[in-house]
Amino acid sequence: MESNLLAVAVLCWLSITRERAFQPAAIASFVARLYELNAGLFKLAPTGTRTPGGIWQKEEEFLYAQAQNLVSIFGRNTGFPLALYYNADIPEQHPRSRLRLEIVGTANDHRQPLYLQAEQVQAADTADAEEKKYAHETEVLQHRIGWNVWGEGSEEIDELDSASSDHIDSQIRYGFSEGELNISDNDGNTYRGYWEIL
């Protein structure tokens, strides 16, 4: 996670030193999207695997093309000389990193690139997995989300409201994989609950 934050900090610093009027929120959003694409690539090719001789799965090719397009558009809009590369061999100091961002002509070029790094997900043991059952599931940011609500009348709630979906979306973008929920029904009653990436 630190390496993702470093990427945001370096790009914000570059924006200031080059006197570009570029919003920090746009930079954070750019890095968050690269983080998601890196996580998708890492899931398809985890540690110990290597993309052999340019042979890609269709899903890998699609995600990498999205990442390249994103960097190209962002670089063109900001004027930053950016290059994105795929880590066939994952560096030891940056585990779970399939993508690295280089800023040509700066200290963060090929000598010290910015690594995007997927979150470390702890494997749940079988007993713990059996205890955690969710009454409802939905999809947010291409993640399968399990969620529950409780309290009198909560059995009527079978769908997330837009505020709850937006809340989960933002939490995932900040690197969280689970958290609390507050869901309101049509009558204005609020129910507490919990969500988790399955």
Side-chain angles (χ1 to χ4, degrees), residues 42-91:
F42 183 82
K43 187 175 180 183
L44 292 168
T47 305
T49 62
R50 181 187 169 122
T51 302
I55 299 170
W56 294 76
Q57 296 178 34
K58 281 186 181 180
E59 295 89 350
E60 284 177 305
E61 193 171 4
F62 177 71
L63 290 176
Y64 189 59
Q66 277 189 310
Q68 286 284 6
N69 289 338
L70 182 67
V71 169
S72 175
I73 292 166
F74 186 80
R76 193 166 50 247
N77 289 341
T78 59
F80 297 165
L82 303 176
L84 185 75
Y85 296 97
Y86 182 86
N87 295 320
D89 294 311
I90 295 177

Side-chain angles (χ1 to χ4, degrees), residues 11 65 78 90 108 115 136 176 185 197:
L11 290 170
T78 59
I90 295 177
N108 296 103
Y115 291 94
H136 309 285
F176 294 98
D185 64 13
I197 295 176

Side-chain angles (χ1 to χ4, degrees), residues 3-4 31-45 63-64 67 84-87 90 94-100 115-119:
S3 57
N4 301 325
V31 173
R33 182 64 183 133
L34 279 181
Y35 162 82
E36 290 169 11
L37 292 167
N38 177 74
L41 285 166
F42 183 82
K43 187 175 180 183
L44 292 168
L63 290 176
Y64 189 59
L84 185 75
Y85 296 97
Y86 182 86
N87 295 320
I90 295 177
H94 297 285
R96 307 176 66 80
S97 174
R98 281 295 179 196
L99 294 176
R100 70 182 184 277
Y115 291 94
L116 285 300
Q117 196 165 312
E119 180 184 0

Side-chain angles (χ1 to χ4, degrees), residues 90-127:
I90 295 177
E92 280 184 36
Q93 67 275 33
H94 297 285
R96 307 176 66 80
S97 174
R98 281 295 179 196
L99 294 176
R100 70 182 184 277
L101 188 65
E102 298 179 6
I103 308 172
V104 181
T106 71
N108 296 103
D109 60 9
H110 66 280
R111 294 165 295 179
Q112 193 175 349
L114 301 168
Y115 291 94
L116 285 300
Q117 196 165 312
E119 180 184 0
Q120 178 73 39
V121 179
Q122 298 293 332
D125 63 21
T126 311

